């Protein structure tokens, strides 16, 4: 029940987009990102589209009473906000990606609790001594540890905070991104807790002798170090992308006892969820999600969270198990992905409704203006079309494990016994773009499939890594692949297209034709039997003497038009048009006799729309991991990693320029494993698209809000002035609206236009500028980039300088 005390506390709740934080002990909002280990917190996030998430955070040393109070407050707050928020239980050290994402500069775990005297951040206190152990690459956490050399290890980063100075010690095995994140955290502490007055210094643990003054400070505080620093310690938890073992339970109380009744195992279907009940979806303990039906009783909805906690105890799951509670209509993307199909009320896709391909169903491709695809990449993503398919096409077949160019007159004819490479070239913003399709026939040999992948690498190298690579399994051709053959795509079940080969005479052959126009049409050979027919489609039956063009009762006028055009490609014989139900006897004889076939139009069903999900694939912690990135943006694409984007119809593998070969190789395997083990029993032949940093097609960028095509357009290899940055050099630059004053650049007392210095060879530099001062050139470039994007603050420039791992002070 909602108490007067609770109502008073919740009256301060704002429904404006943003973050609000409370402790259980006090109601005032605290300094964001600081969490005492002895306390529990409630974190409310209101999204830009009025989506609401309630998190309650449990400190490792908080009491059972506080944890119970937190759960009660969350339930009451959920009720106060109408029961629609998504509830999350967060345990210190095991927070969800969404929770960590709220605190861009990191989470800081502090010893003690609010009762120890903390009420607000005082920016004028310098009597501080603490050591923070910093972990994480994308979302950082910093835990207060014993102020001693014994707390250090070679794999992580540590911040020694002594009030007026913060010394960052980088473990020799820490990477560039971790160092950058730690710097940003140190700057956040300086600006938020010290009013910007503290000094920050950085020590590289592998080269401590290069920072003698900072090492004096560390030695004075920590004492002389006895022996080497401990070796790196592996993370104590695994970021598993998914667990394919999912069970759905109906949870309710009976005579005061908690009853857990299993309903189904994977693959789950949406119709299992009844609005009058509450359910638990359990991913073998890795995640527990509670679903509350709209018509469930108030008591059931109110007790949903407590029942989930009781379920965890009954199952003997770890106390850190992730728990999420959601209401009908407010399901998370992760929850929907547990189901074979999911349809939201009134759901449409792109500019119209799409139907999926089942035994009966057909694809109803809504017509759209292809000129919108470049202007609106979100349309390109939804329609899986990078352009209007008017680019250039080159096709090779794998013959004797080598590439053999295919005769243009036979473009669009693919045989199940072959493998092909299809290179598509098109223009975007005046630049040549490439897509390389690897088509694998169902009956091709293992050697041919391997050779196809090998030759794809050779073609990719020929174009300097620019092509987007797409694996296409026979029968799973993506929409753009269909479009580039202009209504002439034919898939033969077997045989080969090699000129020297003689394919056996198969007698009658039956082809199923699907599509509304030349951008969406293909003909697929099916078994020449009556059972292959489908009332929603057009079929061509080809015999030695005559060809029959069969129109099912459910096909549209557009489909009949493209069927007629395709039949002319398949056969030069005269066509006898046959309407369903009016077939001559010879038609059935050619099919081996009349028989039942798919003829129920009611089985058409809408293709489910699933929200895209992004995963980071990395082995930088010593073992390969896939970690989901919640509420992702372009900034989450890490240049040092491989990222997996799941849009349900296809899997994108995005490869950063700094990703290592092991990650790239494992990502291919992981994408296939991801599909194989998906709890919704995904099609293992779903297209996998290989995208390289800087060469992203609109079908990829359209899934990201406000994509910046110039984010990676300038690389160090293109700029002679930016190469070989030396972290040991130190410069002092004065940065103004008119330029950069740099005595180090050989222009003491003068201001230079940065455009005179960036992307210039030594011979092109202004007279008197020393080309060896490459760090100055880098800072100038950073300054130009900041101004180009509308940012003029010294803080922003310093952040970029730290990203380049340079010891440069910008005033």
């Amino acid at each position: 029940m909602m108490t007067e005390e609770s109502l008073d506390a919740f009256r301060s709740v704002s429904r404006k987009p943003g973050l609000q934080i409370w402790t259980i002990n006090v109601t005032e909002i605290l300094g964001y990102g600081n969490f005492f280990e002895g306390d529990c917190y409630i974190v409310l996030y209101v999204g830009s589209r009025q989506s609401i998430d309630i998190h309650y955070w449990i400190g490792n040393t908080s009491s059972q009473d506080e944890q119970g109070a937190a759960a009660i407050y969350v339930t009451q707050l959920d009720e106060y906000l109408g029961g629609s928020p998504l509830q999350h239980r967060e345990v210190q050290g095991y927070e969800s990606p969404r929770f960590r994402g709220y605190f861009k500069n990191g989470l800081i775990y502090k010893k003690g609790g609010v009762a120890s005297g903390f009420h607000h951040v005082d920016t004028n206190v310098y009597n501080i001594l603490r050591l923070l152990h910093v972990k994480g690459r994308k979302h950082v956490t910093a835990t207060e540890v014993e102020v001693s050399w014994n707390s250090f290890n070679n794999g992580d980063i540590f911040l020694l905070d002594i009030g007026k100075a913060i010394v960052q010690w980088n473990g020799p095995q820490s990477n560039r991104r971790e160092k950058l994140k730690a710097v940003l955290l140190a700057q956040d502490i300086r600006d938020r807790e010290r009013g910007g007055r503290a000094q920050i210094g950085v020590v590289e643990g592998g080269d401590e002798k290069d920072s003698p003054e900072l090492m004096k400070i560390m030695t004075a505080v920590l004492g002389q170090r006895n022996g080497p620093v401990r070796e790196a310690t592996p993370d104590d938890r695994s970021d598993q992308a998914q667990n394919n073992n999912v069970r759905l339970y109906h949870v309710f109380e009976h005579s005061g006892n908690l009853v857990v009744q299993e309903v189904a195992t994977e693959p789950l279907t949406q119709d299992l969820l009844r609005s009058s009940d509450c359910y638990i979806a359990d991913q073998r303990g890795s995640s527990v999600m509670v679903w509350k039906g709209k018509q469930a009783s108030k008591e059931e909805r109110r007790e949903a969270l407590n029942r989930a906690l009781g379920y965890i105890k009954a199952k003997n799951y770890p106390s850190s198990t992730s728990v999420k509670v959601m209401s009908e209509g407010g399901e998370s993307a992760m929850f929907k992905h547990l189901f074979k199909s999911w349809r939201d009320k009134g759901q449409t896709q792109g500019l119209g409704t799409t139907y999926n391909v089942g035994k009966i169903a057909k694809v109803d491709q809504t017509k759209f203006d292809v000129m919108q695809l470049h202007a609106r990449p979100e349309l390109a993503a939804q329609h899986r079309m990078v352009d209007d398919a008017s680019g250039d096409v080159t096709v090779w077949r794998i013959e004797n494990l080598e590439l053999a160019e295919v005769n243009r007159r036979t473009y669009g004819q693919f045989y199940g016994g072959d493998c092909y490479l299809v290179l598509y070239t098109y223009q975007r913003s005046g630049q040549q773009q490439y897509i390389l399709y690897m088509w694998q026939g169902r009956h091709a040999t293992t050697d041919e499939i391997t050779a196809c992948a090998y030759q794809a690498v050779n073609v990719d190298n020929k174009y300097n890594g620019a092509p987007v690579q797409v694996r296409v399994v026979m029968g799973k051709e993506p929409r753009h692949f269909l479009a580039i053959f202009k209504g002439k795509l034919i898939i033969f079940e077997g045989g080969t297209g090699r000129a020297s080969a003689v394919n056996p005479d198969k007698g009658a052959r039956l082809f199923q034709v699907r599509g509304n126009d030349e951008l969406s049409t293909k003909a697929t050979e099916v078994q020449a039997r009556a059972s292959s027919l489908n009332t929603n489609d057009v079929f061509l039956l080809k015999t030695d003497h005559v060809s029959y063009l069969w129109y099912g009762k459910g096909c549209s006028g557009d489909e009949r038009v493209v069927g007629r055009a395709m039949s002319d490609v398949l056969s030069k014989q005269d066509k006898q048009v046959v309407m369903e139900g009016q077939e001559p006897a010879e038609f059935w004889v050619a099919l081996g006799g009349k028989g039942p076939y798919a003829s129920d139009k009611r089985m058409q069903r809408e293709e489910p729309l699933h929200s895209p999900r992004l995963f980071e694939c990395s082995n930088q912690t010593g073992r390969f991991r896939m970690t989901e990135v919640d509420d992702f943006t372009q900034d989450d694409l890490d240049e040092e990693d491989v990222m997996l984007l799941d849009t349900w119809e296809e899997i994108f593998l995005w490869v950063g320029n700094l990703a290592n070969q092991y990650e790239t190789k494992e990502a291919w395997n992981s994408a296939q494993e991801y599909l194989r083990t998906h709890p919704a029993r995904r099609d293992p032949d779903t297209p996998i698209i290989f995208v390289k940093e800087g060469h992203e097609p609109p079908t990829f960028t359209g899934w990201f809000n406000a994509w910046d095509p110039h984010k990676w357009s300038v690389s160090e290899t293109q700029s002679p002035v930016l190469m070989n940055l030396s972290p040991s050099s130190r410069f002092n630059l004065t940065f103004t609206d008119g330029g950069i004053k740099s005595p180090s650049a050989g222009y003491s007392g003068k201001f230079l236009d940065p455009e005179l210095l960036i992307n210039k060879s030594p011979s092109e530099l202004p007279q008197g500028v020393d080309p060896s001062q490459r760090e100055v050139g880098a800072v100038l470039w950073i300054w130009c980039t900041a101004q180009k994007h509308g940012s003029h603050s010294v803080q922003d420039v310093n952040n970029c300088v730290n990203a380049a791992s340079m010891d440069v002070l910008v005033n």
Side-chain angles (χ1 to χ4, degrees):
M1 293 286 293
M2 187 78 69
T3 64
E4 283 298 321
E5 183 182 357
S6 300
L7 281 172
D8 289 338
F10 295 149
R11 285 192 180 104
S12 65
V13 173
S14 171
R15 294 179 186 251
K16 294 181 179 179
L19 201 62
Q20 300 165 71
I21 305 177
W22 299 267
T23 66
I24 301 305
N25 294 332
V26 294
T27 56
E28 65 180 283
I29 296 175
L30 305 175
Y32 288 175
N34 293 281
F35 291 85
F36 281 92
E37 296 181 337
D39 284 331
C40 294
Y41 295 77
I42 293 178
V43 177
L44 175 69
Y45 179 76
V46 180
S48 58
R49 297 183 180 179
Q50 291 301 303
S51 61
I52 302 176
D53 290 85
I54 303 174
H55 305 256
Y56 78 99
W57 185 90
I58 299 173
N60 283 342
T61 59
S62 61
S63 66
Q64 289 294 323
D65 288 344
E66 279 193 306
Q67 294 179 27
I72 292 172
Y73 272 117
V74 165
T75 301
Q76 292 178 341
L77 180 58
D78 174 74
E79 190 175 335
Y80 179 77
L81 294 172
S84 63
L86 187 61
Q87 301 172 39
H88 312 255
R89 178 174 177 266
E90 310 285 356
V91 177
Q92 179 183 339
Y94 296 88
E95 296 88 350
S96 65
R98 176 177 287 271
F99 184 83
R100 294 183 183 219
Y102 298 148
F103 307 97
K104 300 301 182 185
N105 291 324
L107 294 170
I108 300 177
Y109 303 140
K110 295 188 172 185
K111 298 290 186 185
V114 173
S116 62
F118 176 80
H119 290 284
H120 64 276
V121 176
D122 192 333
T123 59
N124 297 309
V125 173
Y126 296 97
N127 185 22
I128 292 172
L129 175 61
R130 63 177 176 175
L131 181 65
L132 295 175
H133 181 190
V134 182
K135 292 182 75 70
R137 301 174 58 251
K138 193 168 293 292
H139 301 304
V140 170
T141 61
T143 307
E144 287 189 10
V145 293
E146 180 189 359
V147 183
S148 164
W149 283 114
N150 294 331
S151 299
F152 286 68
N153 72 70
N154 283 324
D156 294 323
I157 296 172
F158 295 81
L159 298 181
L160 180 60
D161 184 1
I162 57 176
K164 290 188 176 182
I166 301 172
V167 180
Q168 175 176 326
W169 185 90
N170 296 331
Q173 296 174 29
S174 60
N175 61 57
R176 181 186 65 85
R177 189 172 180 85
E178 289 173 323
K179 294 174 184 179
L180 169 60
K181 285 291 187 178
V183 165
L184 295 178
L185 176 61
Q187 291 174 340
D188 189 54
I189 295 171
R190 176 197 65 191
D191 297 340
R192 197 157 41 84
E193 299 185 19
R194 310 292 149 72
R197 300 179 184 89
Q199 298 294 314
I200 298 173
V202 179
V203 176
E204 292 295 337
D207 298 292
E208 293 177 341
K209 61 182 181 301
D210 291 339
S211 307
E213 296 302 319
L214 294 176
M215 285 305 298
K216 284 181 183 178
I217 295 174
M218 295 189 71
T219 302
V221 175
L222 301 170
Q224 198 67 37
R225 189 168 64 213
N226 297 320
V229 173
R230 286 185 300 116
E231 286 304 307
T233 55
D235 292 340
D236 56 1
R237 67 190 184 106
S238 173
D239 295 308
Q240 189 66 30
Q242 66 186 359
N243 190 316
N244 67 323
N245 188 297
V246 181
R247 294 179 183 273
L248 185 69
Y249 296 93
H250 179 205
V251 182
F252 57 97
E253 278 194 14
H254 181 70
S255 301
N257 297 316
L258 181 68
V259 179
V260 179
Q261 186 176 47
E262 184 173 323
V263 177
T265 59
E266 83 286 343
L268 305 179
T269 55
Q270 190 177 358
D271 57 6
L272 293 169
L273 302 173
R274 294 182 299 186
S275 291
S276 57
D277 291 321
C278 294
Y279 297 86
I280 284 179
D282 179 7
Q283 286 189 274
R284 200 187 285 173
S286 63
S287 175
V288 170
M289 288 178 267
V290 184
W291 184 88
K292 301 182 296 183
K294 285 183 177 179
Q295 297 172 23
S297 68
K298 266 193 172 182
E299 185 63 26
E300 275 198 293
R301 293 172 61 84
R302 188 179 294 129
E303 288 298 312
L305 179 57
N306 284 332
R307 287 175 180 172
L309 299 179
Y311 175 82
I312 287 175
K313 288 182 179 178
K315 286 283 192 176
N316 289 319
Y317 288 159
S319 60
S320 58
T321 299
S322 169
V323 176
K324 293 178 175 59
V325 181
M326 63 205 71
S327 294
E328 181 179 358
E331 298 86 358
S332 67
M334 184 182 295
F335 182 79
K336 293 177 184 178
H337 267 243
L338 299 179
F339 291 77
K340 184 71 174 175
S341 62
W342 188 279
R343 187 175 71 238
D344 291 323
K345 188 176 181 180
Q347 176 175 294
T348 60
Q349 177 167 339
L351 302 181
T353 302
T354 302
Y355 298 90
N356 80 335
V357 182
K359 187 173 181 182
I360 295 291
K362 62 181 178 180
V363 179
D364 182 11
Q365 299 274 5
T366 305
K367 292 183 174 65
F368 59 93
D369 181 4
V370 294
M371 297 306 292
Q372 296 184 66
L373 296 178
H374 294 299
R376 297 178 60 192
E378 68 275 13
L379 280 184
Q382 290 171 359
H383 287 280
R384 276 75 179 180
M385 294 284 288
V386 297
D387 70 344
D388 60 359
S390 61
D392 295 326
V393 180
T394 304
V395 182
W396 297 275
R397 183 171 39 248
I398 302 298
E399 295 185 12
N400 300 320
L401 309 185
E402 300 293 336
L403 287 182
E405 193 160 349
V406 172
N407 189 318
R408 285 187 171 271
R409 289 180 299 178
T410 62
Y411 273 17
Q413 299 178 23
F414 290 80
Y415 290 82
D418 290 327
C419 287
Y420 297 82
L421 288 184
V422 179
L423 180 66
Y424 180 77
T425 307
Y426 66 105
Q427 293 274 337
R428 191 175 83 222
S429 302
Q431 297 289 324
Q432 290 273 78
Q433 308 289 332
Y434 307 94
I435 301 176
L436 183 61
Y437 292 102
M438 297 168 280
W439 191 90
Q440 301 172 1
R442 185 178 293 120
H443 307 294
T445 66
T446 302
D447 286 346
E448 286 174 325
I449 293 173
T450 303
C452 184
Y454 174 78
Q455 295 296 346
V457 173
N458 290 339
V459 174
D460 182 70
N461 291 337
K462 180 180 177 181
Y463 292 91
N464 298 317
V468 172
Q469 297 179 39
V470 185
R471 184 199 68 159
V472 180
V473 175
M474 178 177 169
K476 306 294 181 181
E477 294 77 17
R479 301 179 195 180
H480 187 260
F481 188 86
L482 271 59
I484 64 179
F485 293 105
K486 307 294 190 299
K488 297 180 179 179
L489 179 62
I490 305 170
I491 309 297
F492 295 97
E493 173 58 29
T496 177
R498 302 179 189 184
S500 59
V502 178
N503 292 314
D505 183 9
K506 299 178 65 173
R509 305 183 79 168
L510 183 64
F511 295 86
Q512 183 177 30
V513 183
R514 278 184 166 168
N516 294 323
D517 52 36
E518 67 174 15
L519 295 180
S520 61
T521 299
K522 74 171 177 178
T524 306
E525 185 175 8
V526 294
Q527 192 174 21
R529 293 286 183 268
S531 58
S532 299
L533 297 175
N534 185 319
T535 193
N536 295 300
D537 291 318
V538 175
F539 286 80
L540 178 77
L541 176 60
K542 186 178 177 183
T543 70
D544 292 337
H545 308 293
V546 65
S547 292
Y548 298 96
L549 189 59
W550 185 87
Y551 293 145
K553 291 179 180 179
C555 67
S556 66
D558 286 342
E559 289 172 318
R560 294 182 185 187
V561 171
V562 299
R564 164 68 74 175
M566 179 63 80
S567 70
D568 291 337
V569 178
L570 278 164
S571 173
K572 302 304 179 185
Q573 297 172 324
D574 289 336
K575 316 300 184 304
Q576 182 177 336
V577 175
V578 177
M579 306 301 293
E580 182 180 3
Q582 301 176 19
E583 300 87 355
E586 293 81 8
F587 178 85
W588 295 118
V589 169
L591 291 177
K594 191 173 182 178
Y597 59 86
S599 57
D600 188 351
K601 289 176 63 178
R602 291 175 299 174
M603 289 184 65
Q604 293 181 11
R605 52 194 171 91
E606 290 186 19
E607 172 70 22
L609 247 187
H610 284 81
S611 298
R613 298 172 72 187
L614 183 70
F615 297 87
E616 177 186 44
C617 308
S618 174
N619 75 327
Q620 297 208 8
T621 58
R623 60 182 180 220
F624 188 82
R625 284 183 172 182
M626 286 180 61
T627 310
E628 183 160 12
V629 180
D630 196 74
D631 198 19
F632 60 84
T633 66
Q634 184 182 2
D635 289 336
D636 291 310
L637 297 177
D638 190 338
E639 291 185 275
E640 295 182 343
D641 285 331
V642 175
M643 311 295 289
L644 184 150
L645 177 66
D646 178 8
T647 67
W648 198 262
E649 280 196 28
E650 69 272 287
I651 300 292
F652 287 95
L653 286 178
W654 181 91
V655 182
N657 286 338
L658 303 179
N660 61 50
Q661 285 187 337
Y662 178 81
E663 287 172 345
T664 305
K665 178 184 176 183
E666 282 302 305
W668 278 105
N669 298 333
S670 294
Q672 293 171 321
E673 182 71 5
Y674 172 82
L675 288 169
R676 190 185 66 79
T677 62
H678 198 283
R681 298 280 178 89
R682 297 279 289 282
D683 187 340
D685 292 334
T686 298
I688 298 175
I689 302 173
F690 194 76
V691 177
K692 293 181 181 176
E693 178 188 324
H695 300 283
E696 298 84 2
T699 46
F700 177 83
T701 63
W703 298 108
F704 295 79
N705 186 38
W707 181 272
D708 178 9
H710 304 294
K711 182 178 177 66
W712 301 296
S713 60
V714 180
S715 68
E716 292 186 4
T717 57
Q718 296 171 316
S719 175
V721 182
L722 298 181
M723 296 177 68
N724 302 322
L725 298 177
S726 169
S728 61
S729 304
R730 181 179 296 275
F731 301 95
N732 282 283
L733 306 177
T734 301
F735 140 65
T736 73
D737 290 337
I740 300 179
K741 186 176 182 180
S742 171
S744 302
Y747 261 68
S748 180
K750 295 185 180 181
F751 289 94
L752 300 178
D753 180 352
E755 297 292 343
L756 297 175
L757 296 174
I758 63 171
N759 293 326
K760 304 292 184 184
S761 65
S763 62
E764 295 174 312
L765 293 172
Q767 185 176 2
V769 174
D770 182 357
S772 68
Q773 302 298 320
R774 303 188 187 279
E775 288 82 354
V776 177
V779 178
L780 295 176
W781 171 73
I782 289 168
W783 179 77
C784 282
T785 304
Q787 284 215 329
K788 177 181 177 182
H789 288 87
S791 176
H792 302 272
S793 72
V794 172
Q795 183 65 51
D796 288 341
V797 177
N798 268 321
N799 288 347
C800 295
V801 169
N802 285 318
S805 298
M806 294 183 297
D807 192 359
V808 181
L809 175 65
V810 180
N811 301 310

